[in-house]
């Protein structure tokens, strides 16, 4: 017997104990074993476990029963199919037991098994066989059982089974339909509700014929609104249609023209529950069948507007009376309000809620009617903000929020640009609603109900996001509401957190000037929240304070508001949190970040508090838990344009930062490098040389291709230090330069690291005196190419040659007096028959970059060398020469471009390479300098659109794309003509060229291209 089988056997023995605790613990251990993926039961163990668990389902102890039924879930995947069927048979039999507890346990067991069955899509037949076995017994229990409790349990299980495993029951769908339909007329409301849910799930999975039968049955049984019928029966039928609409609305579309008018008529019947069901059905139809509901939108809109204000027991007409009721604090007023909202006979609030939800579905499903909704629905929704019932008010707010989200301008280059001031636009109409919204919410912001205020904050936050700046003129009302909620300590802390989150959002969307007058009112409650003992409120308040500092006193701009009256209070509150050591981690991090912003933005006003604050940050820097947020805070302080004196902490902080560069935490290394770069830029010569050398000693290990982002930041810091303290770098330049040159030979080098390396190399030769001699640095760069075997071909990756060429060009640009000599040597290397392939490739690529700053002398000599290289037997040399011809030509178009176009005409065998050169010239040259030549280039390119080689046509397409970008308004219409009139290859080339007109960055062609794409789509 295996170890697992022996352990299972001992557990089964304990389950027979007379002690309920033994049985409970053994069952719990069995559950743990069954949940292990590695457990495998032999046939005898399976049989014993199943038998024991079924026995425990009838245990006298309820806890043991509950645990046993939970074991059935993981057991399903561990035993054979016939054992699962045996379990199902037993549970179905128990469902019809006279004992209520046993029936409940059996129902839970069946639901547990159904939830654990593998989907039919996995290929397992277990789900199908179990469902078939259950279905027959469930239908008989539903149809024949006189006990309502059994019926309800069977309907629940059937609904669960249909929702998850509807498809495998295809053979039973007809019998299930005929079993469920009679239950719609059951005298029991609970039975009808469960039958409605099950029919909804069945409608989603059944065949088309059965769905038509179901829809016809429901429609045929709906009487006319004036025909005598039971209101309960009508409600059930409409609820069933709504359930079908929610689960399978796409299938109901063909029946809506017949169905919707009937339901509309029933809305006029004086029965609030019936109206609620009708509106809920309309909501489902609108969400699932928006196209088919188009003809009925006007009528449904009218019904929503009518019933959203359906409140026969309350009078909203008199604003004065309403205000008096809102502000009156007497017990009588509260008693009357409760009497209105808690009246059990008043069902009208359910109608209003259903109307609001239906309106939200209408707005969300028909964005094409947005302008109409702003004219008709928006004013009605705003008026209903005074709703007295909390649940209804929440849904009214939700409907208006849906309208706001639909009005939100789209993002992306294809989005229509719609200005808020454009008359007739949805944004313009929304701007006109803002005063009405704020007025309607003014009293709600001070409502006793926390939920009402939360709804106000959500709605206003959404409005501020859609129309930034629109709430600035209403700031007195908003500030009053925010302060009211921040001072509310009677309820849970949620409302204060919501108020703080709303204030933070406002600081990001509204102009800073709007807060100037209200800062004396806002700041005290925010400071109180910073000191709040509940960590979530304190953390949120620190975030608000940080945003307040950032928004009201932005960096690099004149201060429109004098911070002197406020900076002391803000500093004291923040430092109190910063000094405390027994805080939640989130509060610690927010306090450090807030301190960083406070010092970075207002450090010059801190006076004597500045040095203690910096020392506190230094202390937090040494703490492992708080070091990362402190490094980020130091970055903010160092990058501040206030040029603060950080001398008190530099000598101690730099060695600590240097030690962070050795840590495995990548985020810490990245943040540390950013902080060091900011310190080097701001403090410069003030940095202690010994501390800088300690930092530089850690950098060679970071210049590795294993993490290019870290390497880029390290090289950026090196470039900054080279300019700030060249003497410090001179001592460690050897190891650093060796690692950088090794990094440059990586084929994985991204553009960001290459640009950083160029900046560092330029800094090395640009200092006075230079840290490294120009000639020596060029030799170090080119050594790997010149030292390889002459006849072995390029031993380095192609990308390495481009990287080295870029670095050589960067050095030449920094030392222009050396550029001509470098270009001359490169021409000699390219021409020499003794040069290896790698040397020639590097020479041409470097000439492509250096030639533009080397003057006209080398360029005149280049033509012959480049043309000769186009005939080289090496493909790499030919490609490099082609690239160089285009790049050098871009810097001297009058001399090179006519020559290049002439060569394309004369040399058909080389035209592929020459077209590549033309592509590079078009991409590198200034658009204005190309305009005299565009017609010649256009004609030449379209002559070659019919080239036999697909590769040539691809290069032509790219050249056409770059050419169109020179003058889009002129060339795009001609493009369309070629698309319509050109030959097949020409049309294909033009279509391919469109791909090169689309870029990631905004471009003037975007608007034109959008209109042409739309026209083509219309055609």
């Amino acid at each position: 017997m295996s170890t697992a089988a022996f352990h299972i056997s001992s557990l089964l023995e304990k389950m027979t104990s007379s002690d309920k605790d033994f049985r409970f613990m053994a069952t719990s251990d069995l559950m743990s074993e069954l949940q292990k993926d590695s457990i495998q039961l032999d046939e005898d163990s399976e049989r014993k476990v199943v038998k024991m668990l079924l026995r425990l389902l009838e245990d006298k102890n309820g806890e043991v029963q509950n645990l046993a039924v939970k074991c059935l879930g993981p057991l399903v995947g561990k035993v054979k199919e016939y054992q699962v069927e045996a379990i199902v048979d037993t549970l179905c039999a128990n469902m019809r037991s006279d004992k209520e507890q046993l029936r409940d346990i059996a129902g839970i067991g069946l639901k547990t098994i159904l939830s654990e069955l593998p989907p039919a899509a996995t290929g397992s037949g277990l789900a199908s066989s179990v469902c078939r076995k259950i279905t027959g017994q469930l239908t008989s229990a539903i149809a024949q059982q006189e006990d309502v409790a059994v019926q309800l349990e069977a309907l629940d299980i059937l609904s669960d089974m249909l929702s998850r495993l509807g498809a495998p029951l295809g053979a039973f769908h007809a019998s299930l339909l005929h079993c469920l339909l009679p239950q719609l007329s059951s005298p029991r409301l609970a039975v009808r509700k469960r039958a409605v849910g099950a029919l909804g799930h069945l409608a989603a999975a059944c065949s088309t014929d059965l769905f038509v039968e179901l829809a016809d049955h429901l429609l045929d049984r709906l009487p006319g609104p004036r025909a005598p019928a039971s209101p309960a029966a009508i409600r059930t039928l409409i609820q069933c249609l709504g359930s079908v609409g929610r689960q399978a609305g796409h299938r109901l579309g063909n029946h809506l023209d017949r169905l919707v008018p009937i339901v509309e008529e029933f809305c006029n019947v004086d029965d609030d529950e019936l109206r609620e069901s009708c509106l809920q059905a309309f909501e489902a139809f609108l969400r699932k069948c928006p196209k088919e509901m188009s003809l009925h939108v006007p009528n449904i809109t009218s019904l929503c507007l009518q019933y959203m204000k359906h409140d026969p027991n309350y009078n909203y007409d008199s604003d004065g009376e309403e205000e008096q009721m809102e502000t009156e604090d007497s017990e009588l007023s509260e008693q009357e309000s409760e009497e209105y909202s808690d009246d059990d006979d008043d069902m009208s609030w359910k109608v209003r809620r259903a109307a609001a939800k239906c309106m939200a579905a209408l707005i969300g499903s028909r964005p094409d009617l947005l302008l109409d909704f702003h004219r008709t629905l928006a004013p009605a929704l705003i008026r209903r903000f005074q709703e007295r019932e909390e649940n209804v008010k929440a849904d009214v707010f939700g409907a208006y929020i849906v309208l706001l989200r639909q009005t939100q301008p789209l993002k992306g280059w294809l989005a229509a640009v719609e200005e808020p001031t454009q008359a007739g636009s949805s944004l313009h109409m929304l701007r006109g609603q803002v005063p009405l919204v704020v007025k309607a919410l003014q009293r709600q912001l001070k409502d006793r109900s926390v939920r009402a205020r939360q709804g106000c904050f959500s709605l206003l936050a959404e409005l501020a996001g859609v129309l930034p700046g629109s709430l600035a003129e209403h700031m007195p009302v908003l500030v009053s509401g925010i302060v009211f909620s921040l001072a509310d300590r009677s309820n849970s802390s949620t409302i204060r957190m919501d108020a703080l989150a709303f204030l933070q959002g406002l600081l990001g969307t509204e102009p800073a000037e709007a807060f100037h007058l209200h800062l004396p009112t806002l700041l005290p409650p925010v400071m109180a929240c910073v000191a709040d003992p509940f960590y979530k409120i304190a953390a949120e308040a620190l975030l608000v304070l940080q945003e307040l500092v950032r928004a009201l006193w932005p960096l690099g701009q004149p201060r429109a508001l004098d911070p002197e009256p406020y900076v002391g209070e803000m500093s004291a509150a923040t430092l109190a949190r910063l000094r405390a050591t027994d805080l939640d981690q989130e509060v610690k991090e927010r306090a450090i970040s807030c301190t960083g912003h406070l010092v970075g933005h207002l450090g010059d006003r801190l006076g004597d508090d500045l040095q203690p604050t910096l020392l506190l940050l230094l202390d937090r820097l040494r703490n492992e838990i708080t070091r990362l947020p402190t490094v980020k805070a130091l970055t903010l302080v160092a990058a501040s344009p206030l040029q603060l004196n950080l001398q008190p902490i530099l000598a101690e902080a730099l060695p600590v930062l240097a030690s962070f560069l050795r840590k495995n935490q990548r985020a810490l290394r990245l943040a540390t490098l950013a902080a060091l770069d900011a310190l080097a830029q701001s403090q410069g010569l003030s940095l202690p040389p010994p501390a800088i050398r300690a930092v530089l000693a850690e950098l060679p290990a970071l210049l590795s291709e294993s993490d290019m982002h870290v390497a880029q930041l390290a090289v950026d810091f090196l470039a900054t230090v080279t300019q700030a303290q060249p003497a410090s770098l001179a001592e460690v330049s050897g190891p650093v330069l060796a690692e950088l040159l090794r990094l440059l030979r990586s084929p994985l080098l991204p553009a960001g690291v290459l640009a950083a390396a160029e900046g560092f190399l330029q800094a090395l030769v640009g200092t006075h005196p230079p840290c490294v001699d120009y000639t020596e640095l060029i030799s170090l760069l080119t050594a790997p190419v010149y030292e390889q075997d002459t006849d072995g071909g390029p031993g380095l990756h192609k990308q390495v040659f481009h990287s080295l060429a870029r670095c050589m060009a960067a050095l030449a640009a920094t030392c222009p007096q050396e550029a001509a000599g470098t270009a001359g040597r490169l021409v000699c290397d390219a021409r020499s028959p003794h040069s290896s392939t790698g040397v020639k490739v590097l020479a041409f690529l470097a000439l492509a970059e250096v030639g533009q700053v080397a003057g006209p002398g080398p360029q005149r000599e280049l033509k012959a060398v480049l043309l000769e290289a186009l005939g080289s037997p090496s493909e790499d040399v030919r490609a490099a020469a082609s690239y160089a011809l285009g790049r050098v030509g871009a810097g001297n178009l009058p001399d090179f471009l006519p020559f290049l176009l002439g060569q394309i005409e004369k040399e058909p065998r080389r035209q592929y390479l020459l077209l590549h050169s033309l592509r590079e010239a078009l991409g590198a040259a200034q658009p204005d300098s190309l305009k005299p030549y565009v017609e010649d280039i256009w004609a030449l390119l379209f002559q070659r659109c019919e080239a036999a080689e697909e590769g040539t046509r691809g290069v032509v397409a790219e050249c056409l794309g770059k050419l169109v970008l020179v003058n889009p308004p002129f060339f795009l219409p001609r493009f369309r003509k070629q698309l319509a009139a050109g030959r097949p290859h020409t049309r294909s080339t033009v279509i391919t060229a469109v791909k090169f007109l689309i870029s990631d960055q905004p471009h003037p062609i975007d608007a034109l291209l959008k209109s042409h794409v739309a026209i083509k789509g219309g055609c």
Side-chain angles (χ1 to χ4, degrees):
M1 181 182 290
S2 67
T3 306
F6 180 77
H7 184 49
I8 295 290
S9 178
S10 65
L11 292 176
L12 294 175
E13 185 177 349
K14 292 177 184 177
M15 289 180 190
T16 61
S17 170
S18 58
D19 189 334
K20 66 178 189 301
D21 293 332
F22 268 57
R23 297 198 303 276
F24 180 85
M25 291 307 299
T27 311
S28 177
D29 291 343
L30 178 63
M31 166 78 90
S32 301
E33 288 296 321
L34 292 174
Q35 287 174 337
K36 295 177 182 177
D37 293 334
S38 58
I39 187 71
Q40 289 185 347
L41 301 175
D42 56 41
E43 190 169 350
D44 186 52
S45 297
E46 282 184 17
R47 181 177 53 77
K48 290 179 179 178
V49 169
V50 169
K51 183 178 178 182
M52 181 55 67
L53 286 177
L54 292 176
R55 176 182 169 185
L56 290 179
L57 292 179
E58 303 182 35
D59 196 277
K60 296 178 181 179
N61 184 268
E63 292 181 348
V64 175
Q65 278 185 315
N66 290 335
L67 201 54
V69 82
K70 288 180 183 177
C71 288
L72 295 178
L75 182 66
V76 167
K78 300 288 191 295
V79 299
K80 294 182 177 58
E81 188 174 316
Y82 71 88
Q83 296 286 7
V84 179
E85 293 179 1
I87 296 172
V88 169
D89 285 336
T90 304
L91 292 175
C92 288
N94 288 348
M95 264 193 62
R96 309 180 81 160
S97 168
D98 295 334
K99 300 177 182 178
E100 182 180 355
Q101 186 177 10
L102 190 57
R103 288 201 306 266
D104 292 342
I105 288 291
I108 295 170
L110 285 172
K111 290 177 184 176
T112 304
I113 289 174
L114 288 172
S115 68
E116 294 294 331
L117 286 176
T122 60
S124 171
L126 180 60
S128 301
S129 59
V130 169
C131 288
R132 291 191 189 98
K133 186 166 285 290
I134 295 177
T135 304
Q137 303 201 43
L138 289 179
T139 50
S140 64
I142 294 169
Q144 300 172 11
Q145 182 58 246
E146 295 181 0
D147 192 335
V148 175
V150 176
Q151 273 188 315
L152 293 176
E153 196 66 44
L155 284 166
D156 268 341
I157 296 167
L158 184 59
S159 185
D160 282 354
M161 187 167 61
L162 285 169
S163 67
R164 190 171 182 272
L165 301 163
L169 293 173
F172 295 91
H173 284 169
S175 61
L176 288 173
L177 179 63
H178 298 143
C179 171
L180 289 171
L181 286 176
Q183 305 308 316
L184 295 178
S185 54
S186 169
R188 299 276 185 172
L189 175 62
V191 172
R192 297 200 301 271
K193 281 188 174 181
R194 284 165 175 76
V196 164
L199 282 169
H201 292 302
L202 178 61
C206 68
S207 66
T208 303
D209 292 341
L210 280 178
F211 183 85
V212 171
E213 181 182 344
L214 169 62
D216 288 343
H217 174 87
L218 297 174
L219 288 169
D220 291 341
R221 292 196 60 194
L222 273 177
R226 294 180 179 80
S230 164
I234 298 172
R235 281 198 301 272
T236 301
L237 291 170
I238 292 179
Q239 286 168 359
C240 189
L241 287 165
S243 176
V244 170
R246 279 185 288 276
Q247 301 297 334
H250 59 288
R251 308 183 75 179
L252 199 59
N254 295 332
H255 304 270
L256 289 180
D257 287 339
R258 177 185 171 194
L259 169 61
V260 172
I262 300 175
V263 181
E264 286 177 8
E265 289 293 331
F266 280 115
C267 283
N268 297 321
V269 176
D270 189 14
D271 183 337
D272 284 343
E273 289 189 58
L274 181 57
R275 286 171 179 151
E276 179 194 13
S277 300
C278 293
L279 290 166
Q280 287 173 342
F282 285 143
E283 179 191 353
F285 302 157
L286 286 166
R287 292 191 188 280
K288 297 295 184 177
C289 312
K291 183 180 177 182
E292 290 83 354
M293 289 292 289
S294 297
L295 296 175
H296 310 287
V297 164
N299 291 343
I300 293 177
T301 303
S302 300
L303 288 171
C304 289
L305 291 172
Q306 176 184 349
Y307 288 112
M308 193 170 62
K309 57 186 179 183
H310 172 67
D311 195 355
N313 300 326
Y314 200 83
N315 181 18
Y316 293 94
D317 293 339
S318 174
D319 291 340
E321 290 177 10
E322 180 191 343
E323 184 174 355
Q324 183 180 354
M325 286 186 65
E326 292 282 348
T327 57
E328 199 173 47
D329 293 329
S330 67
E331 287 294 323
L332 180 61
S333 176
E334 289 184 10
Q335 186 178 350
E336 287 177 358
S337 178
E338 289 170 7
E339 188 178 316
Y340 277 124
S341 59
D342 294 338
D343 188 359
D344 293 337
D345 296 330
D346 181 17
M347 301 295 291
S348 63
W349 68 272
K350 291 186 176 182
V351 178
R352 299 196 300 278
R353 183 179 64 176
K357 287 184 174 181
C358 186
M359 194 175 288
L362 179 62
I363 297 168
S365 62
R366 297 303 302 269
D368 53 313
L369 300 177
L370 189 58
L371 290 175
D372 291 336
F373 293 155
H374 272 290
R375 278 190 289 267
T376 56
L377 301 187
L381 286 168
I382 294 171
R383 284 194 296 272
R384 290 309 305 165
F385 288 172
Q386 63 182 334
E387 170 63 51
R388 63 187 175 89
E389 177 64 38
E390 272 191 16
N391 293 323
V392 183
K393 187 184 293 185
D395 286 313
V396 171
F397 285 163
Y400 195 77
I401 287 173
V402 173
L403 182 64
L404 291 174
R405 289 174 180 167
Q406 291 289 78
T407 313
Q408 178 82 44
L410 296 173
K411 300 292 188 292
W413 73 278
L414 277 177
V417 178
E418 187 179 281
E419 295 294 334
T421 55
Q422 182 181 338
S425 70
S426 57
L427 287 175
H428 178 72
M429 298 178 74
L430 179 59
R431 187 172 288 280
Q433 296 166 22
V434 171
L436 300 175
V437 170
V438 175
K439 183 180 178 182
L441 295 180
Q442 184 171 0
R443 285 193 293 274
Q444 309 289 339
L445 284 168
K446 295 187 178 181
D447 196 284
R448 288 191 301 272
S449 165
V450 170
R451 189 177 177 189
R453 280 180 275 156
Q454 287 175 324
C456 293
F457 287 141
S458 297
L459 190 149
L460 289 168
E462 200 74 39
L463 179 58
V466 176
L467 274 181
S470 61
L471 297 177
E473 58 189 271
H474 307 286
M475 201 56 67
V477 174
L478 303 182
V479 168
S480 176
I482 291 170
V483 170
F484 179 83
S485 289
L486 290 181
D488 182 6
R489 297 176 180 274
S490 59
N491 291 298
S492 68
S493 57
T494 310
I495 186 61
R496 284 189 286 161
M497 292 174 61
D498 288 338
L500 288 168
F502 174 59
L503 176 56
Q504 183 197 349
L506 274 187
L507 288 165
T509 59
E510 307 307 306
E513 296 77 14
F515 295 92
H516 289 173
L517 291 176
H518 308 286
L519 196 55
T521 308
L522 270 176
L523 203 53
V526 172
M527 294 298 99
C529 289
V530 169
D532 196 274
F534 185 40
Y535 76 96
K536 286 189 176 181
I537 291 179
E540 196 70 36
L542 284 165
L543 199 60
V544 169
L545 185 58
Q546 173 181 309
E547 188 67 20
L548 200 68
V549 171
R550 191 196 63 77
L552 297 189
W553 297 285
L555 292 173
Q557 297 181 23
R559 289 172 179 166
L561 177 69
D562 182 16
E564 197 64 40
Y566 315 107
V567 68
E569 185 181 0
M570 293 189 295
S571 175
T574 309
L575 288 180
R577 283 296 184 180
L578 191 60
R579 288 192 182 97
T581 56
D582 56 343
L583 295 177
D584 180 83
Q585 178 68 14
E586 186 180 6
V587 178
K588 290 180 184 176
E589 293 182 2
R590 293 275 174 84
I592 292 168
S593 177
C594 187
T595 303
H597 279 79
L598 196 61
V599 175
H601 288 254
L602 299 173
D604 57 334
R605 296 299 187 97
L606 289 176
D608 295 338
D609 287 339
L610 177 59
Q611 185 168 341
T613 303
L614 293 176
L615 292 174
L616 270 174
L617 287 176
L618 178 62
D619 185 59
R620 296 293 173 266
L621 189 67
R622 296 191 180 102
N623 189 314
E624 183 178 355
I625 296 175
T626 56
R627 62 191 181 189
L628 180 56
T630 308
V631 169
K632 294 178 179 178
L634 280 176
T635 307
L636 288 171
V637 173
S640 170
L642 300 178
Q643 295 295 317
L644 301 171
N645 179 21
L646 303 181
Q647 286 299 317
I649 64 168
L650 281 179
E652 296 182 64
L654 286 174
V656 176
L657 291 172
S659 69
F660 292 166
L661 297 177
R662 296 192 295 270
K663 303 298 181 184
N664 288 329
Q665 190 180 357
R666 183 173 183 268
L668 181 63
R669 292 203 305 273
L670 292 172
T672 302
L673 286 168
L676 288 168
D677 191 57
L679 286 169
Q681 289 183 28
S682 63
Q683 302 300 308
L685 294 172
S686 303
L687 296 173
I692 282 293
R693 285 194 289 272
V695 174
L696 292 174
E698 304 292 340
L699 291 182
L702 301 180
L703 301 177
S704 165
E705 66 177 4
S706 61
D707 192 332
M708 287 296 189
H709 191 187
V710 170
Q712 178 180 343
L713 293 180
V715 176
D716 282 335
F717 171 63
L718 284 169
T720 305
V721 172
T722 305
Q723 295 168 349
Q725 288 197 10
S728 298
L729 186 70
E731 299 182 20
V732 293
S733 61
V736 167
L737 199 53
E739 291 299 328
L740 179 64
L741 294 174
R742 186 176 293 112
L743 186 64
L744 288 173
R745 293 196 289 273
S746 168
L748 305 175
L749 194 71
V753 181
L754 179 57
E758 291 174 25
F760 174 53
L761 295 175
Q762 287 178 317
L764 284 177
V765 298
T767 56
H768 300 286
C771 294
V772 184
D773 183 67
Y774 173 88
T775 307
E776 180 186 351
L777 199 48
I778 289 287
S779 299
L780 289 172
L781 278 171
T782 57
V785 179
Y786 282 83
E787 290 172 1
Q788 65 183 352
D789 293 337
T790 304
D791 52 359
L796 300 171
H797 192 276
K798 292 179 181 179
Q799 182 60 39
V800 177
F801 291 92
H802 285 274
S803 301
L804 296 176
R806 285 271 303 274
C807 291
M808 292 174 69
L811 292 174
T814 308
C815 303
Q817 69 278 7
E818 303 282 353
T822 301
R825 286 192 295 275
L826 290 171
V827 171
C828 291
D829 289 339
R831 175 178 286 173
S832 171
H834 304 294
S835 297
S836 67
T837 300
V839 170
K840 290 184 177 181
V841 169
L842 178 62
F844 284 126
L845 294 178
L847 281 168
E849 309 292 342
V850 177
Q852 300 184 43
V853 295
Q859 290 187 0
R860 284 194 293 269
E861 193 179 355
L862 267 178
K863 285 183 184 177
V865 176
L866 291 171
L867 281 180
E868 181 183 348
L870 290 178
S872 169
S874 169
E875 182 180 349
D876 292 320
V877 173
R878 293 198 303 271
S882 170
Y883 175 78
L885 180 58
R887 298 285 295 184
V888 174
N892 189 6
L893 288 178
D895 189 19
F896 268 81
L897 197 55
F899 167 75
L900 180 58
L901 297 177
Q903 288 295 317
I904 293 175
E905 294 282 1
K906 293 178 187 176
E907 299 283 350
R909 294 179 61 187
R910 296 182 179 178
Q911 72 172 355
Y912 180 75
L913 292 170
L914 293 168
L915 285 169
H916 272 283
S917 301
L918 180 60
R919 179 195 65 186
E920 293 299 331
L922 291 172
Q926 294 297 321
D928 290 339
S929 62
L930 281 168
K931 286 184 178 178
Y933 312 99
V934 291
E935 288 296 343
D936 294 338
I937 299 173
W938 179 271
L940 181 141
L941 291 174
F942 271 100
Q943 289 171 9
R944 276 146 188 82
C945 282
E946 291 294 320
E949 297 84 3
E950 186 177 353
T952 302
R953 297 198 301 274
V955 182
V956 169
E958 194 168 350
C959 290
L960 282 170
K962 293 181 181 297
L963 185 62
V964 170
L965 292 175
V966 174
N967 190 355
F970 179 68
F971 282 117
L972 267 180
R974 295 173 67 175
F975 237 40
R976 290 196 67 228
K977 289 180 182 177
Q978 290 291 341
L979 190 61
R983 287 175 290 179
H985 279 324
T986 300
R987 291 202 301 273
S988 171
T989 306
V990 170
I991 292 171
T992 306
V994 173
K995 177 175 67 176
F996 300 103
L997 302 179
I998 303 170
S999 64
D1000 296 335
Q1001 302 301 320
H1003 192 279
I1005 198 175
D1006 291 347
L1008 292 168
L1009 190 60
K1010 176 188 169 185
S1011 62
H1012 281 274
V1013 169
I1015 291 170
K1016 290 175 187 176
C1019 297

